[in-house]
Amino acid sequence: MQKRWNILKVNKSATAALQESLKVNASLCSILVNRGVDSFEKAKDYFRPSLTELHDPYLMKDMQKAVKRITSAIEANEKILVFGDYDVDGTTSVASMYQFICKIYDGSFVEFYIPHRYREGYGISKAGIDYAAENNFALIISLDCGIKSIDLIAYAKTLGIDFIVCDHHLPDDVLPDAVAILNAKQKDCHYPYKELCGCGVGFKLMTALAQYYGIDEAHYFCYLDLVATAIAADIVPMTGENRILAYFGLQQINTNPCAGIKALIQLGGIQKKLSITNVVFVIAPRINAAGRMDDAKKAVQLFIEKNTDRALELAKLLHSDNNERKETDSTITAEALALIDNNIELINRKSTVVYQEHWHKGVIGIVASRLTEKYYRPTIVLTRNGDIVAGSARSVVGYNLYEAVHACREHLLGYGGHFAAAGLSMLPENVTAFADKFEAVVAASIEAHLLVPEIVIDADISFNEINDSLYNIICQMEPFGPENMRPVFVAKNVMDTGNSKIVKELHVRFVIKQHDKTFTGIGFNLADKFSVLETKKPFDLVFTLDENEWNGETNLQLKIIDLKLSSS
C-alpha cells in the first residue's frame, strides 16, 4: 500500500536559535522546536525530567472534597471499595490505590472490585454497586471510569453509597452526582495538565492524601512502575506530567519493579533494559488478556502480591490468557480477511463491516485494528453476544468514527466512543442494514486522502550527520509516545550498494550509501519495495535510528519504514 509522506516544516529561525544555545545537530533542533522545546530552559526540563516539576494535586477541581470524604470515612471506620475498569489503566489504578489506602487505613475495611467484561460490561456496574450495598460499603472510589455513569451513581446514592470519581475520559455536559469528581478535562477544572490517564489521576489523589497525612513521598512514588505501565498502555500523550511519571516509572521498572511486573518481565523473556515499547508490546497485552479472556481481578492480585513465587504463578495465568488471546485473535483475523478478500463488493468499499456469530467478543477490538492496518479504512467487527450483536469499531487518522456511527443510530440498540474508536450493539436482523448505511455514510463523508496511510516525517537528514552522538541524544528523548514519538527521518538520493537482499521472503536487509557513507538497515515487510533498489536509481528513504547487536559488537543501523524513487 502506498503511503503519504508528510515532512514537517522547519521553523528556521527558532531552530537556529536553539542550535546556538544547545550546540547539537540542526535536524534534532528542528524536531525539538516542533515539539514545543524551543529554548534552553525548556530543553533542560525536557532532557532532565524531575519529580519536583509535578503539579500540586490540590490544583485539581474537587481534590479537597475527595480528600475530606476519604479521611472522614477513615475516621468513621466506614468501608471503602476501590473500583476500576478491566484494562491496564483500570487494574493498575486499582492496585496502586488499594495498596495506598491500606497503608493509611485498616485493610479489613478496604476491598477492590473489577467488573467482569462479559457479565457486567464496561465501567461502573449495577452488580458492583449491589455488591457494595450488600457488604456495607459507604464509599466507592472509581478509577478510569465513572464520568458518564450518571444513572448508576444516582442509584448508589439511593442506597447510601457515596462516589469519588477519578477519570480522564471526556465529560458530558451533565455530570454524575458524586461527592467529588477528579478529571482535569472538566471545563471548570484549572489543573495545568489535562492528559493524565486514569492511573495518573489516582496518583494525584494518593499524593494529596499523603500530603494531608504528612506521609513521606516514598509511600506513593513506589507505585510509579504501575503508573508508567498505564501511561504506556493507554496511549496518552507522552508530554508534561505523563512524560515525567513515565520517565521515573520506567526507571523503577528497570531497577526495582513490584513482584508482579518482575514476573511479567521474566515470562516475556526480556533480558535487557526495558523501553516504553517493551511495556506496550510485552507487559500490557498480558495484563489486558486477563479481562479479554477471563477475569481481570487476577491482574490486580498480581500487582498487589508481595511474594515472588506467588506472583510468578499469577503471571503465568495472565501469560496463558495472552497465549489464548493471540491464538483466538489470529484465527478470527484470518477468517475476517478471507471474508473480505473473497467478496469483491467488500474489497471495493470505503469501510469494512464483518460479522460472524462465533467470534470471541474479547478480541474483536484487536481484530478491528488489524483490519484497519491492512485495508486502511473505518472498520467494524461484529459478533453475537446472547440475543444481540456487539461490535468494536476503529477509525483511520483524521476521520470522526463516532459521528459516522451516530449517523446510523436508527439501526442500533446502543453505542459509545470517540473520534478514533467506538463500541456498538444491535439486533441480529439489523446487521445488513447497518453495514449498508455505515458504508453510505463513510463513502459520502471521508476525504480520499484519509484512506491513504500517512507517515509523519520529523526531519530531512544526511547520512553524514548520523553518528553515535546523534543517536545518544535521541535516546535521551525517551520515553517515546504520542506527541513525543521516536524521530522519523528522510534521507534523499540514496543508492543501493548492490548488497541488499530479501530475507525470509518478507523483509529486506539493506546495505545502502549516500555520498561516501554506507549504512546497513532492516525493513520489515518491505520485500514488495525491493524493485525500487533493482532500478539502480537514487531513492528517498524514511527510517528511524536503531542499534544492532551482532557477535558482541553494537553498530548503528537504520530501521526502514518506506522508500520511493527520488523525484530529483
Side-chain angles (χ1 to χ4, degrees), residues 402-417:
Y402 181 82
E403 287 298 325
V405 171
H406 176 74
C408 307
R409 61 192 178 279
E410 74 265 28
H411 302 297
L412 300 175
L413 293 172
Y415 62 97

Side-chain angles (χ1 to χ4, degrees), residues 228-461:
T229 301
I231 289 168
D234 227 50
I235 320 191
V236 288
M238 196 63 76
T239 57
E241 284 194 311
N242 282 342
R243 190 161 178 276
I244 295 169
L245 293 167
Y247 178 88
F248 288 97
L250 200 54
Q251 282 188 358
Q252 187 174 326
I253 287 170
N254 282 302
T255 56
N256 186 32
C258 66
I261 287 182
K262 195 172 187 177
L264 290 174
I265 292 169
Q266 184 180 328
L267 291 176
I270 303 172
Q271 305 292 332
K272 57 183 183 179
K273 186 178 176 184
L274 269 78
S275 67
I276 282 291
T277 304
N278 297 133
V279 176
V280 171
F281 291 106
V282 178
I283 296 178
R286 286 168 169 78
I287 303 167
N288 270 329
R292 290 185 187 281
M293 310 310 292
D294 187 29
D295 190 339
K297 283 189 179 74
K298 60 176 173 273
V300 178
Q301 288 163 345
L302 171 69
F303 292 138
I304 67 176
E305 181 58 57
K306 299 292 186 280
N307 180 282
T308 52
D309 292 335
R310 176 64 183 144
L312 190 58
E313 290 305 310
L314 286 165
K316 284 177 180 175
L317 295 177
L318 269 64
H319 189 69
S320 174
D321 285 340
N322 192 49
N323 286 337
E324 183 187 351
R325 188 273 307 166
K326 284 194 283 189
E327 192 176 316
T328 305
D329 135 33
S330 178
T331 301
I332 295 174
T333 299
E335 289 179 11
L337 290 170
L339 277 178
I340 298 164
D341 290 341
N342 293 323
N343 185 319
I344 194 73
E345 185 187 350
L346 289 182
I347 289 172
N348 291 321
R349 284 191 164 199
K350 296 284 194 300
S351 68
T352 298
V353 180
V354 284
Y355 169 52
Q356 288 291 293
E357 289 192 353
H358 66 275
W359 285 346
H360 195 297
K361 187 169 181 276
V363 301
I364 56 173
I366 300 173
V367 175
S369 294
R370 299 205 195 290
L371 297 182
T372 305
E373 286 173 19
K374 166 82 173 174
Y375 300 105
Y376 209 73
R377 58 198 189 194
T379 298
I380 299 176
V381 178
L382 302 167
T383 187
R384 186 80 174 247
N385 185 31
D387 294 331
I388 64 170
V389 170
S392 195
R394 297 292 183 271
S395 193
V396 295
V397 176
Y399 183 71
N400 192 329
L401 181 75
Y402 181 82
E403 287 298 325
V405 171
H406 176 74
C408 307
R409 61 192 178 279
E410 74 265 28
H411 302 297
L412 300 175
L413 293 172
Y415 62 97
H418 50 79
F419 201 94
L424 57 153
S425 61
M426 67 191 80
L427 294 172
E429 57 266 30
N430 289 339
V431 169
T432 301
F434 169 80
D436 290 342
K437 178 67 181 287
F438 185 71
E439 166 63 14
V441 170
V442 173
S445 59
I446 197 163
E447 297 175 49
H449 73 276
L450 296 181
L451 293 167
V452 181
E454 178 187 62
I455 302 173
V456 177
I457 300 165
D458 290 288
D460 191 333
I461 200 168

Side-chain angles (χ1 to χ4, degrees), residues 84-86 91 94-95 111-117 119-120 131 287 290-291 294-304 314 318:
D85 192 22
Y86 42 67
T91 52
V94 167
E111 282 185 34
F112 67 83
Y113 191 100
I114 303 288
H116 193 282
R117 188 183 198 112
R119 291 195 292 269
E120 299 173 63
Y131 174 85
I287 303 167
D294 187 29
D295 190 339
K297 283 189 179 74
K298 60 176 173 273
V300 178
Q301 288 163 345
L302 171 69
F303 292 138
I304 67 176
L314 286 165
L318 269 64

